[in-house]
């Protein structure tokens, strides 16, 4: 990938990459130069894509500088587009996509919006005002905290009896009710 794609110009209608592009930024050998590898990859990808074709590249950059490096070499090659972030405030679900269109930017090559915490498409994206930085920024939203009802007495004997009755009605095998059902245990065992 870092040496370029050996394909004829204009023969590909679309490209998808999952977790591969960020590895071009690693220098495993002294001969590996991340900037040259990114330039070769994005240059050859731009040449082999047909005009108006899209490339969607899922990346997991290590930091903001690596994301900017990848995006800058994509833009230098002639692509239009930007970065879409799904679930920006989640550590496990967060995904970054580099959505690129081959050719100059047009109305039909708008970057799609990412998903928020609720799983729906975000319509409150804010793109930065300057033309140099073409990344998509998601507005800062905070996830509401779940408020759990805390009962000082605990769940109580009535609650346990109701639950056991409910499980019996479902057909589950439940131990019989005794004087020890839902009793408070001592602090030490």
């Amino acid at each position: 990938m870092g040496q370029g794609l050996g394909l004829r110009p204009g023969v590909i209608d679309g490209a998808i990459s999952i977790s591969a592009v960020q590895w071009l930024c690693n220098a495993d050998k002294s001969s590996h130069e991340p900037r040259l590898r990114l330039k070769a990859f994005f240059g050859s990808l731009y040449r082999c894509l047909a005009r108006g074709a899209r490339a969607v590249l899922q990346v997991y950059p290590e930091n903001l500088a690596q994301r900017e490096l990848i995006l800058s070499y994509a833009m230098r090659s002639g692509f239009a587009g930007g970065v879409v972030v799904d679930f920006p405030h989640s550590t496990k679900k967060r995904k970054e996509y580099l959505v690129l269109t081959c050719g100059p930017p047009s109305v039909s090559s708008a970057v799609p919006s990412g998903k928020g915490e609720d799983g729906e498409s975000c319509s409150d994206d804010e793109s930065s005002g300057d033309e140099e930085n073409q990344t998509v920024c998601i507005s800062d939203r905070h996830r509401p905290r779940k408020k759990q009802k805390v009962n000082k007495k605990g769940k109580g004997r009535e609650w346990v009896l109701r639950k056991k009755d409910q499980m019996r009605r479902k057909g589950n095998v439940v131990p019989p009710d005794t004087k020890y059902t839902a009793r408070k245990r001592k602090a030490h065992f």
Side-chain angles (χ1 to χ4, degrees):
M1 237 172 73
Q3 296 174 356
L5 305 173
L7 299 170
R8 291 183 293 157
V11 295
I12 308 258
D13 293 329
I16 297 174
S17 169
I18 300 173
S19 302
V21 176
Q22 73 267 11
W23 296 107
L24 293 174
C25 296
N26 289 0
D28 298 333
K29 299 178 183 176
S30 59
S31 62
H32 290 171
E33 177 59 39
R35 296 178 193 283
L36 295 176
R37 294 168 74 180
L38 286 169
K39 182 180 177 183
F41 171 69
F42 283 115
S44 64
L45 181 64
Y46 185 80
R47 282 189 300 277
C48 73
L49 285 175
R51 293 297 162 245
R54 274 222 172 145
V56 179
L57 314 168
Q58 181 186 18
V59 295
Y60 291 105
E62 291 179 2
N63 51 33
L64 187 62
Q66 191 177 48
R67 182 172 86 177
E68 291 298 321
L69 179 71
I70 293 170
L71 184 63
S72 68
Y73 274 94
M75 295 301 161
R76 286 181 195 172
S77 298
F79 285 107
V83 176
V84 175
V85 180
D86 276 354
F87 305 105
H89 301 296
S90 176
T91 54
K92 290 185 178 179
K93 291 184 182 180
R94 181 183 173 94
K95 292 181 178 64
E96 294 188 20
Y97 298 95
L98 194 60
V99 181
L100 304 172
T101 303
C102 193
S106 66
V107 177
S108 64
S109 65
V111 177
S113 60
K115 289 189 176 182
E117 284 85 17
D118 54 356
E120 295 180 10
S121 182
C122 296
S123 61
D124 55 348
D125 295 346
E126 298 172 358
S127 59
S128 56
D130 57 339
E131 295 295 323
E132 294 293 319
N133 187 6
Q134 295 187 2
T135 61
V136 177
C137 299
I138 307 294
S139 65
D140 192 20
R141 288 179 285 150
H142 299 286
R143 182 182 307 164
R145 299 272 181 205
K146 275 189 174 178
K147 293 183 181 178
Q148 295 182 354
K149 296 177 184 176
V150 178
N151 188 357
K152 292 182 181 178
K153 293 169 59 176
K155 302 246 179 175
R157 181 174 169 85
E158 295 83 22
W159 181 85
V160 172
L161 291 173
R162 271 188 284 130
K163 283 304 225 181
K164 287 177 84 171
D165 188 43
Q166 183 182 18
M167 296 302 279
R168 283 188 194 104
R169 279 186 267 130
K170 287 184 178 179
N172 295 338
V173 177
V174 180
D177 297 336
T178 65
K179 67 178 185 178
Y180 301 109
T181 302
R183 73 177 177 143
K184 184 169 172 55
R185 295 180 183 264
K186 293 182 180 178
H188 56 82
F189 294 141

